[in-house]
Amino acid sequence: MLHQRYYKDYGLAISGLVEHHKVDPLEYNREVDDALQLDGLITPNPNLREILEDIDTSKVKPWLFTNAYITHGQRVVKLLGVDDLFEGITFCDYSKLPFICKPHREMYEKAEAEAGASSPQDCYFVDDSHLNCRHAQARGWTTAHLLEPDMPEPAERASRYQIRDLNSLRSIFPQFFRTTTANGIDGLHSSHL
């Protein structure tokens, strides 16, 4: 399939469409991504909101990092009901050619600069793309590869951490959460006392 080939070769299918078919990326975004009827398909996610609200922002800065154009990225997090819980967003800028997107080194560097990270080792990353996680891990980011519940285990791990549920982040990175369980029954983690 063309979409999968371009995704694999370029990290983003639209990059291949622009390169080989002279598709205008901003028009594509307007006519495809921004035109998608997502209302009802993407709905507020209370569990995601609870996890994000429990992050201790005095220790870590929640930052969106997407290969989508800014309008689509902002729209999706708004529909999920978590748009107010991030301090910023690094996105693939479709107005600047050539594209810089994950998994290319320059995109990780852009995210570090925009988020104000002093070094790659200060970055913690969760993504559902094996390729993106592998490149982030190689760069020195602490990375968790999010597998969908029905997805088989990859033959080779993308990163040190592999999770099937975002609540697992509480046990992997307890130092960044106010509580260590989804409902807070365990109370404060000892490093926060």
Side-chain angles (χ1 to χ4, degrees):
M1 210 171 172
L2 191 61
H3 174 269
Q4 290 173 334
R5 190 176 101 215
Y6 287 165
Y7 178 78
K8 183 178 182 232
D9 292 348
Y10 295 95
L12 189 61
I14 182 117
S15 295
L17 293 171
V18 169
E19 176 78 21
H20 298 288
H21 306 282
K22 308 303 178 218
V23 169
D24 179 313
L26 291 174
E27 182 179 341
Y28 177 91
N29 183 69
R30 261 190 319 277
E31 300 295 325
V32 178
D33 288 348
D34 286 350
L36 290 172
Q37 296 300 314
L38 298 178
D39 297 347
L41 289 175
I42 299 175
T43 57
N45 184 327
N47 183 51
L48 177 60
R49 183 164 186 89
E50 180 183 318
I51 292 167
L52 292 170
E53 284 179 327
D54 196 37
I55 291 174
D56 184 343
T57 57
S58 71
K59 296 182 178 179
V60 67
K61 181 190 299 186
W63 196 268
L64 287 169
F65 186 25
T66 179
N67 272 349
Y69 189 58
I70 191 163
T71 54
H72 185 66
Q74 289 174 330
R75 181 176 166 220
V76 168
V77 293
K78 185 173 180 74
L79 288 169
L80 287 168
V82 296
D83 55 314
D84 60 320
L85 300 176
F86 293 92
E87 293 187 32
I89 181 172
T90 296
F91 61 95
C92 182
D93 190 347
Y94 290 8
S95 69
K96 295 181 180 174
L97 298 176
F99 286 158
I100 298 174
C101 64
K102 297 179 281 184
H104 301 287
R105 176 186 48 79
E106 297 87 357
M107 186 63 160
Y108 296 96
E109 291 171 351
K110 177 182 176 193
E112 290 166 12
E114 290 178 356
S118 55
S119 76
Q121 290 71 31
D122 292 336
C123 297
Y124 290 76
F125 180 65
V126 180
D127 201 299
D128 62 352
S129 164
H130 188 279
L131 186 63
N132 293 344
C133 288
R134 197 177 70 211
H135 283 263
Q137 183 79 26
R139 180 153 179 80
W141 291 21
T142 302
T143 304
H145 181 205
L146 177 63
L147 298 176
E148 296 297 325
D150 58 343
M151 180 183 270
E153 296 267 333
E156 183 178 326
R157 282 183 167 234
S159 59
R160 178 177 176 192
Y161 301 106
Q162 186 170 279
I163 60 174
R164 291 202 179 266
D165 182 290
L166 290 174
N167 275 310
S168 298
L169 295 173
R170 295 175 189 277
S171 60
I172 295 171
F173 308 123
Q175 70 274 25
F176 297 131
F177 289 90
R178 292 184 189 97
T179 59
T180 56
T181 62
N183 59 16
I185 291 174
D186 284 350
L188 294 176
H189 183 267
S190 61
S191 68
H192 298 273
L193 297 176

